[in-house]
Amino acid sequence: MNRYRLFGIGSAIILAVVIIVSVSFFWGGSNSSSQQSAGQINQNTLASLNVTPADVYVSVSNSTIYVNGSATLLVVMGPMNAPSMYSFEIFGIINPTVVIKDGSVVNFTVVNVDTDSYHNFVLSQQGPPYNDMGNMMGSSGLMFSMQYLNPEHSGIYSYQNVSYTFSSPGTYWYLCTYPGHAANGMYGEILVSR
């Protein structure tokens, strides 16, 4: 009887360890990211994602987005209404400054709407200029990187969701690492404050 009781307790401990490790891997630690999903969406789905969350304030006048808690930001890459295909658009603002409250978990839903170019979305501690991406890709300044997303094809857009916990105040940058894109202005600033 004791042997079965020990087996049950041992199984419960192993299960608890597996759950803790799984949760730690999914949510990550300080300043961490976790890829949640990727795939393709259509125009209707893209339009439905463009909703400003309650903890987000958009200031068009100073091209700044304020994130006061955990939120989801739709990041559109290569928007047609931008002055250049080398642009990000977040809630109608091209390459905005994003001010994030320390400790916020931000889910970036990144969608490539460009009709002829690959793009990605990378967080970095290294600011511009971005003339030599080869050096940057090997540096420790990258906080997370994602694969290049395919261009739009027949009204279908590639997307990827990435979550990141901003737990350290400071200045960070989002950019596209496709050769020449960040050098041509495809980047923006993130300010994390208490």
Side-chain angles (χ1 to χ4, degrees):
M1 185 84 159
N2 286 339
R3 180 174 60 194
Y4 295 113
R5 183 179 221 173
L6 286 175
F7 179 76
I9 293 171
S11 296
I13 291 171
I14 290 171
L15 179 61
V17 169
V18 168
I19 290 170
I20 290 169
V21 169
S22 297
V23 168
S24 296
F25 178 77
F26 181 77
W27 290 108
S30 300
N31 281 345
S32 62
S33 66
S34 63
Q35 180 177 330
Q36 293 180 340
S37 62
Q40 298 179 328
I41 58 174
N42 62 27
Q43 180 64 38
N44 290 336
T45 303
L46 177 62
S48 72
L49 295 173
N50 200 13
V51 177
T52 306
D55 282 342
V56 173
Y57 173 73
V58 178
S59 175
V60 176
S61 63
N62 67 357
S63 297
T64 304
I65 295 172
Y66 298 91
V67 180
N68 296 316
S70 297
T72 296
L73 302 182
L74 174 63
V75 179
V76 177
M77 302 183 296
M80 293 297 127
N81 62 331
S84 165
M85 72 175 210
Y86 305 118
S87 302
F88 293 99
E89 180 181 331
I90 304 173
F91 300 125
I93 301 175
I94 304 300
N95 297 340
T97 298
V98 182
V99 178
I100 300 173
K101 183 179 177 185
D102 183 23
S104 297
V105 178
V106 179
N107 179 54
F108 297 97
T109 299
V110 183
V111 182
N112 188 3
V113 299
D114 200 315
T115 58
D116 63 358
S117 188
Y118 292 84
H119 296 294
N120 71 347
F121 180 80
V122 171
L123 288 182
S124 175
Q125 295 174 329
Q126 181 180 334
Y130 298 112
N131 296 324
D132 185 3
M133 294 310 291
N135 282 342
M136 183 179 180
M137 295 307 287
S139 76
S140 60
L142 291 181
M143 295 155 58
F144 84 79
S145 183
M146 65 182 285
Q147 66 191 22
Y148 295 122
L149 297 181
N150 295 328
E152 176 270 340
H153 181 72
S154 300
I156 302 298
Y157 308 100
S158 296
Y159 81 92
Q160 185 168 346
N161 285 332
V162 180
S163 292
Y164 195 83
T165 303
F166 290 92
S167 59
S168 298
T171 302
Y172 306 95
W173 301 88
Y174 60 92
L175 62 134
C176 176
T177 59
Y178 194 89
H181 290 194
N184 281 299
M186 196 167 183
Y187 64 86
E189 186 175 24
I190 295 176
L191 302 174
V192 180
S193 61
R194 294 202 187 281

